[in-house]
Coordinates of all heavy atoms in Angstrom, one line a residue:
G163 N 254.9 56.8 81.7 CA 254.8 58.2 81.5 C 255.2 59.0 82.7 O 254.9 60.2 82.8
H164 N 256.0 58.5 83.6 CA 256.5 59.2 84.7 C 258.0 59.1 84.8 O 258.5 58.0 84.8 CB 255.8 58.7 86.0 CG 255.9 59.6 87.2 ND1 257.1 59.7 87.9 CD2 255.0 60.4 87.8 CE1 256.9 60.5 88.9 NE2 255.7 61.0 88.8
P165 N 258.7 60.2 85.0 CA 260.1 60.1 85.1 C 260.7 59.2 86.2 O 261.7 58.5 86.0 CB 260.6 61.5 85.4 CG 259.4 62.4 85.3 CD 258.2 61.5 85.2
V166 N 260.0 59.1 87.3 CA 260.5 58.2 88.4 C 260.3 56.8 88.0 O 261.2 55.9 88.2 CB 259.8 58.5 89.7 CG1 260.1 57.5 90.8 CG2 260.2 59.9 90.2
R167 N 259.2 56.4 87.3 CA 259.0 55.1 86.9 C 260.0 54.6 85.9 O 260.5 53.5 85.9 CB 257.5 54.9 86.5 CG 256.6 54.9 87.6 CD 255.2 54.4 87.3 NE 254.4 55.3 86.5 CZ 253.7 56.3 87.0 NH1 253.6 56.5 88.4 NH2 253.0 57.1 86.3
L168 N 260.3 55.5 84.9 CA 261.3 55.2 83.9 C 262.7 55.0 84.6 O 263.4 54.1 84.2 CB 261.3 56.3 82.8 CG 260.1 56.3 81.9 CD1 260.2 57.5 81.0 CD2 260.1 55.0 81.1
S169 N 263.0 55.9 85.5 CA 264.3 55.7 86.2 C 264.3 54.4 87.1 O 265.4 53.8 87.1 CB 264.5 56.9 87.2 OG 264.7 58.1 86.4
L170 N 263.2 54.1 87.6 CA 263.1 52.8 88.4 C 263.4 51.6 87.4 O 264.1 50.7 87.7 CB 261.7 52.6 89.0 CG 261.5 53.4 90.3 CD1 260.0 53.4 90.7 CD2 262.4 52.9 91.5
L171 N 262.7 51.7 86.3 CA 262.9 50.6 85.3 C 264.4 50.5 84.8 O 265.0 49.5 84.7 CB 262.0 50.8 84.0 CG 260.6 50.4 84.2 CD1 259.7 50.9 83.1 CD2 260.4 48.9 84.4
Q172 N 265.0 51.7 84.6 CA 266.4 51.7 84.2 C 267.3 51.1 85.3 O 268.2 50.4 85.1 CB 266.8 53.2 83.9 CG 268.2 53.2 83.3 CD 268.5 54.6 82.8 OE1 267.9 55.6 83.2 NE2 269.4 54.7 81.9
A173 N 267.0 51.5 86.6 CA 267.7 50.9 87.7 C 267.6 49.4 87.8 O 268.6 48.7 88.0 CB 267.3 51.6 89.0
V174 N 266.4 48.9 87.6 CA 266.1 47.5 87.7 C 266.8 46.8 86.5 O 267.5 45.8 86.7 CB 264.6 47.2 87.7 CG1 264.3 45.7 87.5 CG2 264.0 47.7 89.0
H175 N 266.7 47.4 85.4 CA 267.5 46.8 84.2 C 269.0 46.8 84.5 O 269.6 45.8 84.1 CB 267.2 47.6 83.0 CG 267.9 47.2 81.8 ND1 267.7 45.9 81.2 CD2 268.8 47.7 81.0 CE1 268.5 45.7 80.2 NE2 269.2 46.8 80.0
A176 N 269.5 47.7 85.2 CA 270.9 47.8 85.5 C 271.3 46.8 86.6 O 272.5 46.7 86.9 CB 271.3 49.2 85.8
G177 N 270.3 46.2 87.3 CA 270.7 45.2 88.3 C 270.2 45.5 89.7 O 270.4 44.7 90.6
T178 N 269.6 46.7 89.9 CA 269.1 47.0 91.2 C 267.7 46.3 91.4 O 266.8 46.7 90.6 CB 268.9 48.5 91.4 OG1 270.2 49.2 91.1 CG2 268.4 48.9 92.8
A179 N 267.6 45.4 92.3 CA 266.5 44.5 92.2 C 265.5 44.6 93.4 O 264.3 44.2 93.3 CB 266.9 43.0 92.2
T180 N 265.9 45.2 94.5 CA 265.0 45.3 95.6 C 264.6 46.7 96.0 O 265.3 47.7 95.6 CB 265.7 44.7 96.9 OG1 266.8 45.5 97.3 CG2 266.1 43.2 96.6
V181 N 263.5 46.9 96.7 CA 263.1 48.2 97.1 C 264.1 48.8 98.1 O 264.4 50.0 98.0 CB 261.7 48.1 97.8 CG1 261.3 49.4 98.4 CG2 260.6 47.7 96.7
A182 N 264.7 48.0 98.9 CA 265.8 48.5 99.8 C 266.9 49.1 99.0 O 267.4 50.1 99.4 CB 266.3 47.3 100.7
E183 N 267.3 48.4 97.9 CA 268.4 49.0 97.1 C 267.9 50.3 96.4 O 268.7 51.2 96.3 CB 268.8 48.0 96.1 CG 269.6 46.8 96.6 CD 269.8 45.7 95.6 OE1 269.0 45.6 94.6 OE2 270.8 44.9 95.7
L184 N 266.7 50.3 95.9 CA 266.2 51.5 95.3 C 266.0 52.6 96.3 O 266.3 53.8 95.9 CB 264.8 51.2 94.6 CG 264.8 50.2 93.5 CD1 263.4 49.7 93.1 CD2 265.5 50.8 92.3
K185 N 265.7 52.3 97.5 CA 265.5 53.4 98.5 C 266.8 54.1 98.8 O 266.8 55.2 99.3 CB 264.9 52.8 99.8 CG 264.5 53.8 100.8 CD 263.7 53.2 101.9 CE 263.4 54.2 102.9 NZ 264.0 54.1 104.2
E186 N 268.0 53.4 98.6 CA 269.3 54.0 98.8 C 269.5 55.2 97.9 O 270.4 56.1 98.2 CB 270.4 53.0 98.7 CG 270.4 52.0 99.8 CD 271.4 50.9 99.5 OE1 272.2 51.0 98.6 OE2 271.4 49.9 100.2

């Protein structure tokens, strides 16, 4: 129920796997 968490899930689903990549 949080937009950032949904965006994180979408990024992980698209192949972004690490916190370092997400932090970019």
Side-chain angles (χ1 to χ4, degrees):
H164 193 286
V166 171
R167 289 193 284 275
L168 288 171
S169 293
L170 284 167
L171 283 168
Q172 188 171 21
V174 170
H175 177 63
T178 305
T180 66
V181 172
E183 292 170 331
L184 293 167
K185 191 173 178 244
E186 292 174 9

